[in-house]
Amino acid sequence: GAVVSQHPSWVICKSGTSVKIECRSLDFQATTMFWYRQFPKQSLMLMATSNEGSKATYEQGVEKDKFLINHASLTLSTLTVTSAHPEDSSFYICSAREQSTDTQYFGPGTRLTVL
Amino acid sequence: SQKIEQNSEALNIQEGKTATLTCNYTNYSPAYLQWYRQDPGRGPVFLLLIRENEKEKRKERLKVTFDTTLKQSLFHITASQPADSATYLCALHKGNAGNMLTFGGGTRLMVKP
């Protein structure tokens, strides 16, 4: 199957700092990528849909100025958590849609801890 | 809005038996449905995709069925192994331009040796 990578796999930062997470589709091009957040023992919560070359579409309740998404190329989307606070601590997962098969492939996730 | 129900209770089975997981949905019929496996602290891993015009799909020890009349998908793992222990998620796609998946809450499978 197709491979999606995420970097970093984990990050610890101080409150008030910004953190950037990268999501790459390694062996296919993805015009659409997605960013999810997952709390312990809960299912994935879609945060936003990232479209290459255009603005991201955010789900209701997700602050677009807080979670900046950039999808500058067909293989890379980034999520920047700005002015992070402890309540932003979570597991963030991206996915990329392979258009030819309609399949979404997920990255391994990034564990963010804000102190 | 679409509601997806997966058995929230853990499914415990003996090694070698067939595990059957259920995914029920309400409202619209999805264009296709995907099953994923998720291990603790990891992202979901794609297993199978089945489209609305397909009744059944197989991949090695895995089998997925899709009944649009019952609004249900069943996921089977035959000859289960302890290594199959994980949380299994079903996700539905409406087939619209947004390309979004709606996820069920997942079912945790425990295969005992």
Side-chain angles (χ1 to χ4, degrees):
Chain A
V3 179
V4 175
S5 70
Q6 260 182 265
H7 178 80
S9 56
W10 59 271
V11 57
I12 301 173
C13 69
K14 292 183 179 179
S15 188
T17 61
S18 294
V19 174
K20 180 186 281 188
I21 303 170
E22 291 187 351
C23 178
R24 293 180 187 272
S25 55
L26 298 186
D27 48 4
F28 66 99
Q29 293 184 330
T31 55
T32 307
M33 291 185 173
F34 303 87
W35 288 95
Y36 296 82
R37 185 172 179 176
Q38 188 174 35
F39 294 102
K41 298 190 178 182
Q42 293 187 24
S43 193
L44 288 78
M45 183 188 80
L46 179 66
M47 298 174 66
T49 301
S50 171
N51 299 297
E52 187 267 335
S54 64
K55 290 183 180 180
T57 304
Y58 290 83
E59 293 302 296
Q60 194 171 11
V62 179
E63 298 176 59
K64 62 180 181 181
D65 296 329
K66 172 77 172 172
F67 300 100
L68 299 178
I69 290 172
N70 185 282
H71 192 158
S73 79
L74 288 171
T75 59
L76 173 65
S77 176
T78 60
L79 168 70
T80 301
V81 183
T82 62
S83 186
H85 288 95
E87 58 265 31
D88 298 325
S89 298
S90 190
F91 191 51
Y92 292 88
I93 314 172
C94 73
S95 71
R97 179 174 177 267
E98 187 182 41
Q99 198 166 349
S100 63
T101 61
D102 289 327
T103 302
Q104 273 193 37
Y105 294 96
F106 284 81
T110 297
R111 172 73 59 192
L112 170 64
T113 302
V114 184
L115 302 176
Chain B
S1 60
Q2 184 69 285
K3 186 178 178 183
I4 303 168
E5 292 180 350
Q6 290 186 258
N7 195 336
S8 59
E9 294 182 11
L11 177 64
N12 295 295
I13 64 167
Q14 203 65 35
E15 181 177 8
K17 299 292 185 183
T18 297
T20 298
L21 286 70
T22 304
C23 177
N24 294 300
Y25 59 91
T26 59
N27 298 333
Y28 62 83
S29 273
Y32 56 88
L33 186 153
Q34 298 181 139
W35 282 89
Y36 292 86
R37 167 187 173 140
Q38 187 174 26
D39 291 282
R42 303 289 294 173
V45 174
F46 171 73
L47 297 174
L48 282 167
L49 181 152
I50 187 165
R51 300 185 186 276
E52 60 180 337
N53 61 347
E54 298 174 317
K55 296 287 186 187
E56 183 180 295
K57 207 91 172 269
R58 291 174 184 262
K59 179 183 176 183
E60 298 173 353
R61 293 186 295 113
L62 309 180
K63 184 178 84 171
V64 171
T65 62
F66 195 2
D67 189 325
T68 56
T69 302
L70 292 178
K71 295 189 175 181
Q72 181 181 77
S73 175
L74 298 179
F75 178 78
H76 306 272
I77 305 175
T78 57
S80 60
Q81 305 165 1
D84 295 326
S85 299
T87 296
Y88 291 85
L89 304 167
C90 77
L92 277 59
H93 186 280
K94 194 175 183 179
N96 57 11
N99 295 318
M100 294 181 299
L101 288 177
T102 302
F103 279 87
T107 297
R108 188 161 172 247
L109 173 67
M110 296 285 292
V111 181
K112 298 180 180 179

